[in-house]
């Protein structure tokens, strides 16, 4: 983290593009990988390296959405972020000029802050790259330029130098390049650091005489060279850092790479990951040392997995807290729920939001919970639905139990009604409780009963018919 | 697509081989990747590039199966496809001769069509390759040969030229090659274009004096060179195009590559694919712009996914139509069904064939449908089975509902009977309907009821016992 | 397999390390990939190549666990395995000396066996490598050294030779290397074969004057060179063989590579594997020719899949026997169970231990079995739980059936009671049987019945209420 308050940098993020090739109405920088918009990945790196920097995000297409999304993110609430509106799409040079001409730009100029320019669609930028770009300028530098030597430079702006390795003269876009220039392998990556004054001066003099008819930010290189100003070059090794996202396929590939980084980080923290290519972990998830994650797991959002917990194959967790030594078995799906220590859940359990599974409780296969609180050491082992329910501790819920939380009636303005099952109740199999209803502590409900009235503590409740056997009738039925 | 009717080409596909290393009784070219037999992938490329060509497929091992499969495929019904029977496996030269000596060959000779020869086990051939192979001959060309320079040429027939880069003299098979010849890196890919007359002439003079005792089609190169005829060479960059399938492992790898191509194509059409390495899409599937596909989804057969639909993790769809903005949640399995716009299905729902989910209907977890038609805005939220059922709109089906469509009786010659539930019915939890039965519009069935008789519209049906509470008995039961 | 009894080799496996970077209390060599500890993978290669060798495993950290695990493995029960305790972690040279000074070492010296030294954390060692390392010594060789030329040798001990390709002089560890030595690309892989007498002699003279203050086994190279003894070098091509496991990420990567090997081997045996990157097969699993495995399957432990069986997507099997032509559908989870020929199971069935599915039986979706024996041609098609049950042949179990095997009572000292359903029973939907109970052959149980008493053969059992329809009441209920 940089701490020099004196020259805390300014950061300009270009996020106005439509992203036509994305074939989507969503602004390009809001497309997500690893559970967060592309823009967030950039902002996080800026926050981690230079938390005090003054950030401007140039927005255009879908700007309300972009602004709303950033402003709504708690994680960026302490950053100084301004939004600059680029009303027309007239190129990166024009975008930068909009920023420098804005109140944000005025303040930056006044503070003489160096200005780091980052594209909003490079979500894999590393902290190391941002740190090195923000290193202090040499005394005579007007700008710093990041370049990269690519085996196949097709599509990129080429770095034209004096001779083969002399000072940088200019950047030429592919569309404006001669055949000879196209053979150059050193390319620009749209990442710059500028002296604020030079930047503004040069932007105001930018021309759009090129194949696209746009104002290119890249032309500031020629402007600096022409004015005999010094250009510092940061040569970067080809890396995923510079992988841009221009279409849904590149988005998907960037998502895989980001995930691999996250999985590797989690793994090195002492988490056993059985198959690194088949595990998805959002950057926002926390997994403690000693946990185990089986193939196909998807951990998303604010999920936390405690030490010793086992996440089985194909488990999908979003915003779920998994307690110490809990076991989540194959295919369980859970959202916005809390699973206690040593609890066992699944296979194929479904925890809908606001469910809470107590310590050492057992939720078995084909069980659905919704706004259900299950006490410690309680067992709901098979094929049941508990919605809007409060279940005590040491309760045994048989197979095929249903809380009838909705029967079409509106009571006290509510459509769904609560079921309360107190500690140590024994609920037989294939029972239903028609809510609102309470089954008292230690009560026993006979299998096959439909419970419509409260059951007092320690009572036996039964609501079923006696069995009648009719000898020989089966043979007759089969005859039909 | 080539349009010169004058010389519309002939295409000869070699598909007679047993494929011993496949270790399977299935003819090699019928092994499937991406949901279709290897042979179909070749035929599609021929159809796309030269739909009017006269195609001969040389068949031998399992020829009835191969013929039946191709003839049964609607997608090839407009192509002119003949089958030539190679009764013995005596080499590629013999296979080609069988074809040229057949009525198909007679017609080709008469029409003076150039003959493109393709192996039936190169399923990744690109359209580009077929197009370039079919480019018109130079005036003096007797044949065209596709070659490829491989870093490791082991196993392939080597191209022997005069000097290092002079005209091609012959192809030597690995087994017949000298040590010196084995060092050659330019190999043949078993893809040729022949002048029909030269081809037949040369095939009739082919000898089988080689390590295998077989007639090699590759020897036509030496025949052309020996007769001072011109051989055109199409040099191809090493690519998946030429990846052959000779054993189950190569089949698996080819399948992965084909899938990657399909996923990339779908993605670039504006579909958000979260993990490109964990998504399987048959080439026959259509996904519209704006859909989202989560990791592990398998989309097969004639499946169509409309714009805005979300296919959740591990969803498996075969021949399913998913409507606009529908959401299919984790692990749902569906076959030969239709899911309406804005419907929500899953997680872990199972739609067996002939199910139809209406607009904005909800099919929840652990629900099985079979030949069930569910009306618009109807909810079947949990743990239910609806088979042979017709359910109206705005119906609420509680948890644990079962249509008893089979009770051992045969009625009107049918073992399974229909259940009809009309609009706006409220079906409580844990109910069963014993079919044939009808529940009238707006009726209400109390939880826990077994419905054996029709329920008239607006009636309340109830078939359960009153609850009895026996104070203190639970304590006694526990004592036992 | 080597068969020369005369000089049957000794094998020394270094397995004492803590594996600090693993961030786990488990001894490093007990971390598992492919269903077995790292150490087991090494031991298997030794067993396969030299079954009669005298093996010593040097243990230190967690030695009781390591010993117990190896001694408990039936597969190694015929090998001669000793354990040598290294009480302090003082380097590989010290570990080897502990072994040579032990009774095992005395016996090895006496027998003049060559000693193969293998690290316990190279789980991908190939049989070929072990075989070549164990080739007989030349007459004057004191030791054999495995080396490998790496593009990036960082972290490895470098091979210092006289000149660039003269005899080996010594190995220098990265930490002790000069800048010049660091440029050497030929590295040591910690795999040696020693003449026993030389080994012991040199180990006793080993010094620990190095950056780590440890005794290095690598210094035996300099010792041999210094004593003018001949060092045989086995140059190995860079390969996964030598991939070590030092942290959880390397463990995960090694696991993937091992799995790819296993999947490839299974595939080449005639098994159709749809996606080789998404199939997990333990080395201990057996799959017969003609089986098909869909994406995401996990086959673990002693699982056997017979010919013609189809393992659907995401099926998880552990210690399960799948019969010929059986079909296991999507997402089914089974453990320690037997599935008969032509049986159909799933999707989303759950077979808990000791379940047995008879020939051509059907276990459908959302069905759980536990200690349940299901007869041939019997159908349990949907949403049921059968625990502690014996079900005959040709039985039809309706949807939503539950064996109430536990009702809180202890009978004859048992908490769970048995349910017996004899041949040809028809069990209607939504029935429960309260165990212990028997339903006799050919009996018929009406839908919705709770069966608490035995049903005699051919009887109809019914335990439900008559249906009452109350006209117009539904409208009133809605009004509420």
């Amino acid at each position: 983290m940089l701490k020099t308050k004196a020259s805390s940098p300014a950061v300009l993020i270009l996020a106005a593009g439509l992203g036509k090739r994305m074939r989507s109405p969503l602004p390009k920088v809001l497309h997500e990988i690893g559970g967060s918009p592309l823009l967030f990945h950039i902002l996080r790196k800026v926050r981690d390296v230079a938390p005090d920097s003054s950030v401007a995000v140039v927005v255009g297409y879908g700007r309300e959405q972009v602004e709303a999304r950033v402003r709504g993110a708690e994680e960026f609430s302490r950053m100084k972020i301004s939004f600059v509106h680029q009303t027309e799409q007239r190129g990166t040079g024009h975008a930068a000029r909009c920023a420098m001409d804005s109140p944000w730009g005025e303040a930056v100029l006044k503070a003489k802050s160096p200005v780091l320019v980052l594209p909003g669609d490079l979500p894999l930028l590393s902290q190391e790259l941002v740190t090195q770009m923000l290193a202090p300028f040499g005394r005579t530098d007007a700008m710093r330029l990041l370049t990269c030597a690519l085996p196949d430079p097709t599509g990129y702006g080429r770095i034209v130098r004096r001779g083969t390795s002399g000072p940088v003269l200019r950047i030429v876009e592919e569309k404006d390049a001669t055949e000879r220039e196209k053979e150059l392998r050193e390319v620009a990556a749209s990442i710059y650091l500028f002296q604020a004054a030079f930047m503004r001066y040069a932007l105001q003099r930018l021309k759009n005489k090129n194949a696209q008819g746009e104002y290119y930010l890249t032309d500031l290189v020629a402007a600096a060279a022409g004015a005999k100003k010094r250009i510092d070059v940061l040569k970067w090794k080809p890396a995923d850092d510079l992988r841009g996202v221009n279409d849904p396929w590149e988005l998907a590939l960037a998502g895989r790479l980001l995930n691999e980084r996250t999985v590797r980080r989690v793994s090195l923290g002492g988490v056993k990951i059985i198959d690194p290519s088949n595990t998805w972990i959002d950057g926002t998830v926390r997994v403690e040392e000693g946990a185990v994650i089986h193939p196909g797991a998807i951990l998303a959002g604010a999920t936390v997995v405690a030490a010793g917990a086992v996440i089985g194959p194909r488990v999908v967790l979003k915003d779920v807290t998994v307690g110490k030594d809990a076991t989540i078995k194959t295919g369980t799906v859970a959202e916005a729920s809390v699973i206690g220590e040593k609890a066992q859940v699944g296979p194929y359990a479904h925890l809908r939001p606001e469910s809470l599974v107590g310590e050492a409780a057992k939720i078995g296969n084909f069980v659905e919970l919704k706004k259900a609180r299950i006490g410690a050491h309680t067992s709901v082992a098979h094929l049941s639905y508990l919605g809007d329910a409060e279940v005590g501790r040491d309760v045994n819920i048989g197979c095929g139990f249903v809380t009838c939380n909705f029967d079409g009636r509106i009571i006290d303005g509510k459509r769904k009604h609560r079921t309360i099952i107190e500690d140590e109740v024994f609920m037989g199999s294939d029972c239903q409780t028609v809510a609102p209803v309470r089954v008292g502590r230690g009560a026993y409900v006979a299998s096959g009963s439909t419970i419509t009235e409260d059951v007092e503590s320690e009572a036996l409740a039964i609501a079923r018919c006696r069995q009648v056997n009719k000898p020989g009738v089966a043979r007759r039925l089969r005859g039909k």
Side-chain angles (χ1 to χ4, degrees), chain A:
Chain A
M1 195 187 284
L2 297 177
K3 289 224 162 173
T4 48
K5 266 193 182 163
S7 66
S8 94
V11 179
L12 179 58
I13 300 178
L14 304 179
L18 157 68
K20 203 171 161 187
R21 283 160 58 200
M22 296 302 291
R23 302 186 66 161
S24 163
L26 195 69
K28 186 188 191 179
V29 295
L30 291 190
H31 280 274
E32 298 193 358
I33 59 173
S36 305
L38 298 181
L39 180 56
F40 282 27
H41 293 283
I42 314 274
L43 283 170
R44 282 176 195 156
K45 289 296 177 298
V46 171
R47 180 196 59 197
D48 294 345
V49 176
D52 295 328
S53 57
S54 172
V55 178
V57 179
V58 181
V59 289
Y61 177 80
R63 71 185 174 103
E64 295 84 1
Q65 279 183 77
V66 177
E67 280 200 46
R69 197 69 201 269
V70 173
R71 293 208 187 284
E74 162 65 20
E75 60 177 312
F76 304 128
S77 59
R78 297 203 197 157
M79 292 178 74
K80 289 171 280 181
I81 302 180
S82 305
F83 293 87
V84 173
H85 187 197
Q86 182 189 18
T87 49
E88 294 168 275
Q89 302 257 337
R90 297 170 67 191
T92 49
H94 178 250
R97 184 167 171 183
C98 290
M100 292 310 287
D101 289 351
S102 75
W104 174 85
E106 296 295 336
V108 164
L109 271 169
K110 208 167 146 190
K112 300 188 179 175
S113 304
V115 182
L116 175 65
V117 180
L118 297 172
D121 59 1
L122 295 186
L124 300 175
L125 277 186
S126 64
Q127 204 168 313
E128 179 61 19
L129 185 151
V130 175
T131 303
Q132 289 197 29
M133 278 305 292
L134 283 175
F137 269 129
R139 256 206 321 171
T140 59
D141 296 342
M143 64 177 290
R144 174 174 297 140
L145 173 65
L146 188 132
T147 73
C148 185
L150 295 184
D152 176 9
T154 310
Y156 288 85
R158 310 297 202 284
I159 306 295
V160 181
R161 289 173 176 272
R162 184 174 306 147
T164 50
S165 55
V168 173
L169 296 177
R170 59 195 170 89
I171 298 176
V172 61
E173 296 290 337
E174 170 105 1
K175 282 163 182 155
D176 301 301
T178 63
E179 281 312 303
R180 187 120 182 235
E181 286 166 345
K182 280 183 187 166
E183 279 170 27
L184 296 167
R185 291 188 166 185
E186 188 182 13
V187 304
S190 311
I191 296 172
Y192 313 89
L193 186 73
F194 291 108
Q195 295 284 19
F198 163 71
M199 185 183 180
R200 192 190 201 188
Y201 176 89
L203 283 173
Q204 290 175 341
R205 277 146 194 84
L206 215 50
K207 301 227 160 53
N208 66 346
K209 291 188 180 161
N210 52 50
Q212 301 281 82
E214 290 192 345
Y215 295 91
Y216 290 160
L217 189 54
T218 48
D219 285 348
L220 262 62
V221 172
K228 312 273 182 213
K229 291 184 182 289
R230 207 181 160 276
I231 301 172
D232 185 38
V233 173
L234 174 60
K235 289 191 183 181
W236 203 250
K237 265 211 298 200
D240 294 331
D241 282 273
L242 304 177
R243 186 180 279 265
V245 170
N246 294 299
D247 61 42
W249 182 243
E250 290 180 353
L251 183 75
L253 296 180
R256 251 197 95 77
L257 286 164
L258 181 73
N259 184 61
E260 186 177 311
R261 279 190 196 170
T262 306
V263 170
R264 186 172 179 278
R265 173 176 55 74
V266 168
S267 163
L268 287 172
V271 173
K272 173 150 192 175
I273 289 177
I274 309 294
D275 191 323
S277 305
N278 289 279
T279 304
W280 294 266
I281 306 179
D282 278 0
T284 45
V285 167
R286 192 156 57 80
V287 186
E288 292 182 5
E289 183 175 317
V292 177
I293 306 180
H294 283 269
I298 302 179
L299 308 183
T303 291
V304 176
V305 177
V310 176
I311 306 299
R314 266 78 79 166
V315 165
V316 181
L317 304 180
K318 186 173 181 192
D319 302 328
V320 172
T321 298
V322 178
K324 234 173 141 231
D325 298 320
T327 299
I328 316 298
K329 297 183 184 169
T330 304
T332 291
V333 173
E335 188 177 346
S337 293
V338 175
I339 295 168
E341 292 191 9
K342 298 199 182 75
Q344 299 209 27
V345 179
Y348 301 115
H350 182 202
L351 275 54
R352 292 164 60 192
E354 296 181 50
S355 294
L356 193 150
V357 177
E359 189 189 326
K362 179 182 172 183
I363 305 298
N365 48 193
F366 320 125
V367 171
E368 174 187 2
L369 303 183
K370 191 213 85 180
K371 293 191 185 178
R373 176 182 291 262
I374 307 298
H377 299 275
T378 283
S379 168
V380 187
H382 354 241
L383 290 155
S384 292
Y385 167 57
L386 286 94
D388 306 289
E390 202 149 325
V391 180
R393 54 183 300 146
D394 295 304
V395 170
N396 187 86
I397 303 276
C399 179
F401 174 71
V402 181
T403 54
C404 309
N405 54 339
F406 172 55
D407 62 358
R409 296 177 298 168
I410 313 287
I411 303 178
D412 295 340
K414 292 190 181 145
R415 295 176 74 243
K416 303 281 172 102
H417 314 305
R418 290 196 72 72
T419 299
I420 294 170
I421 298 173
E422 297 182 351
D423 296 350
E424 293 170 39
V425 162
F426 186 97
M427 180 70 66
S429 290
D430 198 52
C431 291
Q432 314 95 55
T433 51
V434 181
V437 69
R438 169 185 301 264
V439 181
R441 179 184 172 115
Y444 189 112
V445 178
S447 288
S449 298
T450 303
I451 297 302
T452 53
E453 297 159 32
D454 287 357
V455 180
E456 57 267 47
S457 182
E458 298 293 352
L460 164 69
I462 187 162
R464 69 179 185 216
C465 302
R466 279 208 74 80
Q467 176 182 342
V468 178
N469 289 349
K470 305 187 176 176
V473 172
R475 193 178 295 125
R476 251 178 30 230
L477 283 171
R478 264 204 303 277
K480 282 211 259 193

